[in-house]
């Protein structure tokens, strides 16, 4: 089944403790992206990657890092999480012709206390 | 940066009613996409539009690509409780290298 898999689905952590949210897709998509969703603010892009070893900042990159060492994986790294990073996070992937839309993962709900 | 403005922000309707929502931009788009997000899940693509004036249906859903290429509309006929969720419009603005931007969504609530 074609899908984008995120892990974990839920995570509660403490301020300052480094964490990684994994994202993997099995569709051989070139394009991958991370979004955060907060009430009233819609989907805001954090980082995206056009292909392996190619990443770029989205609208809200501060406090986040990403890497794209393999085509299928695009982990999101929070080096020192803070409470304002409490949010619902989505990973998405798309083919070379992204006008056909993205496929989204099921989301990771992160709480930083 | 470029933005997509969706309206209304939220809707509360009775089961069986028709629904209309729209998405506008200050710049031209060559593609419009409509997504639905069920509670607790990721957005899922409903309809894609590629040509100005195009009208495309997916079951009870119909979407239109505005002739000015700066807007799009989504209609849901005879709503049912499972239509509940957030509806997002999205598109790749010019010069974006294909990156998609999303509207803030229209939250739909359906009363049985």
């Amino acid at each position: 089944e074609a899908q984008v898999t995120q892990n974990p689905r839920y995570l509660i952590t403490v301020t300052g403790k480094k964490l990684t949210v994994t994202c993997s897709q099995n569709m051989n998509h070139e394009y991958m992206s991370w979004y955060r969703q907060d009430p009233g603010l819609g989907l805001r892009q954090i980082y995206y990657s056009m292909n392996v070893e190619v990443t770029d900042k989205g609208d809200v990159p501060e406090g986040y890092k990403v890497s794209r060492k393999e085509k299928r994986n695009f982990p999101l790294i929070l080096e020192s999480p803070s409470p304002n990073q409490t949010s619902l996070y989505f990973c998405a992937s798309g083919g070379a012709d992204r006008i056909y839309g993205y496929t989204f993962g099921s989301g990771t709900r992160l709480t930083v206390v | 940066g470029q933005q997509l403005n969706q309206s209304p922000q939220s809707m509360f309707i009775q089961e069986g009613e028709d629904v209309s929502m729209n998405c506008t931009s200050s710049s031209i788009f060559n593609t419009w996409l409509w997504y639905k997000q069920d509670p607790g899940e990721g957005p899922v693509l409903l309809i894609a539009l590629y040509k100005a004036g195009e009208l495309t249906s997916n079951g009870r859903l119909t979407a239109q690509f505005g002739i000015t290429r700066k807007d799009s509309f989504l209609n849901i006929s005879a709503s049912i409780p499972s239509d509940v969720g957030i509806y997002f419009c999205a598109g790749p603005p010019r010069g974006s290298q294909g990156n998609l931007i999303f509207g803030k969504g229209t939250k739909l609530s359906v009363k049985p």
Side-chain angles (χ1 to χ4, degrees):
Chain A
E1 181 188 352
Q3 59 186 357
V4 176
T5 303
Q6 292 179 231
N7 280 298
R9 284 294 303 266
Y10 302 92
L11 178 60
I12 301 174
T13 190
V14 295
T15 299
K17 186 177 180 182
K18 180 179 179 179
L19 66 91
T20 299
V21 183
T22 64
C23 175
S24 179
Q25 51 93 4
N26 61 0
M27 295 165 281
N28 201 36
H29 282 164
E30 287 78 11
Y31 187 91
M32 297 185 76
S33 183
W34 277 103
Y35 295 85
R36 62 177 288 177
Q37 185 177 24
D38 303 288
L41 298 178
L43 292 162
R44 293 184 293 168
Q45 190 176 51
I46 303 170
Y47 270 95
Y48 64 97
S49 170
M50 308 283 277
N51 214 323
V52 176
E53 301 291 2
V54 180
T55 63
D56 211 344
K57 296 177 180 178
D59 297 319
V60 288
E62 293 77 22
Y64 304 95
K65 283 176 58 178
V66 293
S67 68
R68 188 90 182 274
K69 294 185 172 62
E70 308 165 276
K71 198 171 189 179
R72 63 183 292 126
N73 296 322
F74 191 46
L76 179 69
I77 303 157
L78 283 72
E79 295 270 3
S80 183
S82 62
N84 65 12
Q85 292 179 298
T86 292
S87 187
L88 179 58
Y89 291 86
F90 288 102
C91 180
S93 73
D97 191 347
R98 286 174 290 283
I99 66 172
Y100 295 104
Y102 297 165
T103 299
F104 280 82
S106 297
T108 296
R109 185 165 289 283
L110 172 66
T111 301
V112 184
V113 298
Chain B
Q2 299 178 63
Q3 294 183 64
L4 294 178
N5 301 305
Q6 282 190 252
S7 65
Q9 288 186 352
S10 62
M11 304 180 75
F12 297 85
I13 63 169
Q14 198 78 28
E15 182 177 0
E17 290 183 1
D18 296 342
V19 173
S20 291
M21 60 188 78
N22 67 67
C23 187
T24 61
S25 171
S26 58
S27 56
I28 288 173
F29 279 66
N30 292 319
T31 298
W32 288 95
L33 306 170
W34 284 94
Y35 284 83
K36 183 196 177 192
Q37 183 182 25
D38 288 326
E41 297 296 329
V44 173
L45 184 65
L46 296 173
I47 293 177
L49 302 161
Y50 303 111
K51 189 176 177 182
E54 181 181 355
L55 193 70
T56 298
S57 293
N58 179 2
R60 292 177 296 104
L61 277 63
T62 301
Q64 184 165 20
F65 193 137
I67 57 173
T68 65
R69 296 164 66 190
K70 293 183 178 181
D71 54 12
S72 180
F73 309 89
L74 178 69
N75 296 311
I76 305 172
S77 62
S79 59
I80 59 178
S82 63
D83 290 332
V84 164
I86 303 175
Y87 292 81
F88 291 100
C89 63
R94 283 187 173 181
S96 69
Q97 295 183 301
N99 200 21
L100 288 184
I101 63 171
F102 286 81
K104 292 185 178 180
T106 293
K107 187 174 183 180
L108 180 63
S109 301
V110 180
K111 187 175 180 182

